Amino acid sequence: MGTYFEQWKNMHRNELCWCGSGLKYKRCHLDFDERLAGIKVNYRQSKPSHKLIKNDTDIREIKRAAAINNGALDLMGEHIKAGIDTLTLNNLADEYIVKHGGIPACLDYEGFPKSICISINDVVCHGIPSADTILKDGDIVNIDITTIFNGHYADASRMFMIGNVTPEAKQLVEVTQKAMNIGIEAAQPWHFVGDIGAAIVKFVKPYNYSIVTALTGHGVGNDFHEEPYVSHSAKKDTGMLLVPGMVITVEPMINIGKPDVYIDSDDNWTVYTEDGSLSAQWEKTIWITEKGPVVLAE
Ligand code: MF3
Ligand code: CO
Ligand code: CO
């Protein structure tokens, strides 16, 4: 992370930029700060603080975390099949991440007991891997992995379909993936984070599914969960302004039935759909650049 000055407004053009790039302010974020200062926001909008702006070093490290994370998810794809237990998948991912110099971020995160999340069928997210949980034909499975590399985080999840899944389940998985990608396309610099949720709502509407609102995407990169919250069901031109240098996740959870969810009272983690309907989720970590969103982890 760079070094940040509280009094950036008083920065001289020839001082080193607050972002930690080592460049003079006038050659780095001076124009950015002027543009940001010129934007007036209403009561439903906010502007990001400088601590959410990643510099090139941060991005390089997040990309390294992402490369390990992507590799771990690829490995899951090679091993996942009917009959495998989810603890075996957890252990394979953990070994892979550690072997490549990373740390699995979920392990011990606020007491989470395993290295990755595996969420099956009506489990919305935060499923805990277990030797007793055996995948079976027809399951739809989300694997969510976050890797730390040198203090930097990359977060992504994918759906896997085990053997023959019903056409209804397959459609849910495919629509949710498309929803994520449409949300990412809406994550444009100098536009608002609410545009992401608005685009997802518009795309998902004809399917009569429900978008989960109890859990959201988030800023990520220098910590696991940073500002802003990224709602997957929102209105255009609301929430935080997205600007170049921000890194966020887009990770819609979509249910075939109602949007309501509850947390398992025994493990305090597993999130289920209240009506028992199927749920799907996909997640990518993206970097907002002047030219648009760039995918880092997927
Ligand atoms: N990876 C999840 C996310 O997308 C968070 C998992 S937290 C854990 O934000 F503790 F359950 F691992
Ligand atoms: Co996330
Ligand atoms: Co995640």
Side-chain angles (χ1 to χ4, degrees), residues 144-146 155-157 218 224 251 283:
D144 190 340
I145 308 186
T146 306
D155 183 8
S157 79
H218 50 92
F224 198 159
E251 49 179 307
E283 175 177 23

Side-chain angles (χ1 to χ4, degrees), residues 106 109 112 117 126 144-146 155 216 218 224-225 251 269 281 283:
C106 293
Y109 174 75
F112 191 80
C117 298
H126 303 168
D144 190 340
I145 308 186
T146 306
D155 183 8
T216 66
H218 50 92
F224 198 159
H225 296 107
E251 49 179 307
W269 276 105
Q281 178 179 30
E283 175 177 23

Side-chain angles (χ1 to χ4, degrees), residues 54-63 245 247 287 296:
K54 275 72 182 175
N55 66 26
D56 290 350
T57 309
D58 294 323
I59 297 296
R60 200 181 321 121
E61 308 263 38
I62 297 167
K63 282 182 175 171
V247 177
W287 170 31
L296 299 180

